[in-house]
Amino acid sequence: MSAVDDQPIVVIFEAPLGSDLYRQALRLREGILRAPLGLTVSDDELYDDGMRQHFCAVTCGAVVGTVSLRPLDEATLHLKQMAVDEAKRHMRIGAHLLAHAEAWAAQAGFRLMIAHARVGAEGFYLKLGYAQEGGASRRTPSPMCG
Ligand SMILES: CC(C)(COP(=O)(O)OP(=O)(O)OC[C@H]1O[C@@H](n2cnc3c(N)ncnc32)[C@H](O)[C@@H]1OP(=O)(O)O)[C@@H](O)C(=O)NCCC(=O)NCCS
């Protein structure tokens, strides 16, 4: 757990499947990532959630950010569901969530993180040390573990 500098206290928690934090994170990401496309969270997505590690950012008792990780093989994680409440953007909450997820990944022995960045979000990943490769953003072992 840690706070974002110069901003309201934000704490990153794991959000185990089925927990209240997980449910709040699910609502948040549905509102940010699915509703604008006229979609809801699908059964396939919920099934995929069962294979993921979920993290959320909390401030003043409310979930304001979310991200999840799924192992693709013994060295590689797929990062997905990155979303920050629109009213809380540009406060480094996304960066903080990503750093927390990377620290979790490094201590669990993973060496590569892959994300399929949405149009408009590429700059966020590039800013935070990811390299663009084909359709995906990747972060290589040394910075992730550094
Ligand atoms: C992308 C998103 C998660 C960023 O969250 P955030 O909390 O606002 O990001 P941060 O404040 O931590 O930004 C970290 C850095 O990335 C930059 N950044 C943030 N969003 C950016 C964007 N869309 N394009 C370019 N740079 C961006 C910030 O300026 C900041 O740079 P700095 O280190 O120079 O200050 C958030 O805008 C969001 O939820 N977007 C809608 C959903 C989405 O597209 N998710 C990604 C799915 S792949």
Side-chain angles (χ1 to χ4, degrees):
M1 301 197 306
S2 50
V4 177
D5 293 340
D6 302 328
Q7 302 293 343
I9 300 293
V10 176
V11 182
I12 310 297
F13 290 104
E14 286 193 30
L17 200 70
S19 66
D20 184 52
L21 285 177
Y22 168 79
R23 282 191 289 274
Q24 287 188 57
L26 189 60
R27 273 198 299 276
L28 181 76
R29 82 185 207 220
E30 184 166 58
I32 295 172
L33 297 170
R34 295 287 170 266
L37 306 175
L39 301 172
T40 54
V41 172
S42 67
D43 288 346
D44 282 353
E45 200 173 331
L46 291 174
Y47 177 76
D48 189 61
D49 273 6
M51 292 175 273
R52 292 183 163 276
Q53 193 76 23
H54 303 275
F55 300 95
C56 64
V58 175
T59 186
C60 301
V63 169
V64 295
T66 177
V67 70
S68 77
L69 303 174
R70 176 180 171 177
L72 296 180
D73 58 41
E74 62 187 21
T76 311
L77 284 168
H78 184 208
L79 181 145
K80 225 175 149 182
Q81 321 293 9
M82 168 63 77
V84 171
D85 185 336
E86 198 163 1
K88 305 285 183 194
R89 291 191 191 154
H90 302 290
M91 296 180 179
R92 300 201 60 80
I93 293 172
H96 199 52
L97 263 173
L98 202 52
H100 193 95
E102 288 169 358
W104 181 90
Q107 63 80 30
F110 291 95
R111 299 180 56 77
L112 183 66
M113 197 87 94
I114 296 177
H116 291 92
R118 285 192 168 198
V119 172
E122 307 97 322
F124 169 72
Y125 293 104
L126 291 172
K127 202 74 174 268
L128 295 171
Y130 286 70
Q132 209 160 338
E133 191 175 296
S137 300
R138 292 167 174 265
R139 186 146 187 188
T140 47
S142 46
M144 187 172 111
C145 300

